[in-house]
């Protein structure tokens, strides 16, 4: 079942592109965007990650600041290379067994690739907005910015 607006997000731990352990608990009390993408290096996923990169400074300059976290099934090494190649400033996490994708209820597209989904999570760890960005990554980031504004994040 996909997490929906108002649902609480349980803590989870995954490995970062640097090989360290990240826990959602580290961002308790902060706004965050968690986005799931299918594969580092695929054209649509590259566009999606670049859209978040282009707006990253804006997300961090909001009051209160918003952290961005990308998650896919790729290995730590694949993430490390992708993050370096793309110059991504945000956290990238490896979820090879789809534990966190399943926790969020992210379905498989065509039964193979994780659907491209984003969750805006408030400081109290409740889901505030849910977005599907299968084919429109740039519009998707604009919708997130609008949703944050409607939630009082300026």
């Amino acid at each position: 079942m996909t997490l929906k607006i108002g649902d609480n997000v349980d803590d989870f731990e995954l490995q970062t592109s640097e090989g360290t352990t990240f826990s959602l608990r580290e961002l308790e009390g902060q706004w965050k965007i968690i986005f799931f993408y299918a594969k580092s290096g695929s054209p649509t996923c590259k566009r999606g990650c670049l859209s978040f990169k282009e707006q990253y400074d804006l997300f961090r300059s909001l009051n209160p600041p918003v952290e961005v976290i990308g998650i896919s099934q790729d290995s730590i090494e694949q993430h490390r290379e992708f993050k370096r190649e793309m110059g991504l400033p945000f956290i990238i996490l490896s979820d090879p067994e789809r534990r966190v994708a399943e926790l969020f209820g992210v379905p498989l597209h065509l039964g193979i690739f994780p659907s491209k989904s984003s969750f805006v999570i408030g400081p109290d760890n409740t889901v505030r907005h849910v977005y599907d960005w299968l084919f429109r990554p740039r519009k998707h980031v604009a919708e997130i910015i609008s949703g944050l504004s409607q939630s009082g994040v300026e």
Side-chain angles (χ1 to χ4, degrees):
M1 181 172 108
T2 301
L3 287 179
K4 55 190 178 309
I5 294 171
D7 287 347
N8 191 59
V9 179
D10 292 332
D11 185 39
F12 63 82
E13 291 185 349
L14 288 174
Q15 295 296 301
T16 70
S17 55
E18 288 76 37
T20 60
T21 300
F22 169 86
S23 169
L24 185 63
R25 182 177 39 246
E26 295 172 29
L27 299 177
E28 194 167 315
Q30 297 179 48
W31 283 88
K32 47 223 157 259
I33 300 164
I34 297 179
F35 73 97
F36 292 86
Y37 63 99
K39 186 90 176 127
S40 295
S42 72
T44 305
C45 294
K46 274 186 172 181
R47 281 193 302 276
C49 287
L50 285 174
S51 294
F52 279 108
K53 176 185 174 182
E54 291 165 358
Q55 299 301 325
Y56 185 73
D57 288 342
L58 172 66
F59 286 126
R60 296 303 296 154
S61 72
L62 294 171
N63 188 14
V66 178
E67 187 55 74
V68 177
I69 303 159
I71 301 176
S72 84
Q73 291 178 248
D74 291 321
S75 70
I76 294 167
E77 294 78 24
Q78 289 169 310
H79 279 311
R80 184 178 300 124
E81 178 60 26
F82 182 63
K83 185 172 182 173
R84 184 194 61 74
E85 174 191 325
M86 304 295 288
L88 302 176
F90 46 81
I91 300 165
I92 299 286
L93 301 175
S94 179
D95 188 19
E97 286 104 33
R98 287 186 38 81
R99 284 183 310 105
V100 174
E102 289 175 6
L103 173 75
F104 277 76
V106 176
L108 290 173
H109 179 65
L110 302 174
I112 301 170
F113 300 108
S115 204
K116 297 169 186 79
S117 304
S118 294
F119 299 82
V120 175
I121 301 168
D124 58 354
N125 277 353
T126 60
V127 176
R128 302 297 180 91
H129 301 278
V130 179
Y131 301 91
D132 175 17
W133 59 283
L134 189 57
F135 298 112
R136 297 163 29 166
R138 290 194 192 282
K139 182 175 186 216
H140 157 254
V141 172
E143 289 173 348
I144 288 175
I145 293 168
S146 175
L148 283 166
S149 178
Q150 292 170 10
S151 295
V153 179
E154 301 291 332

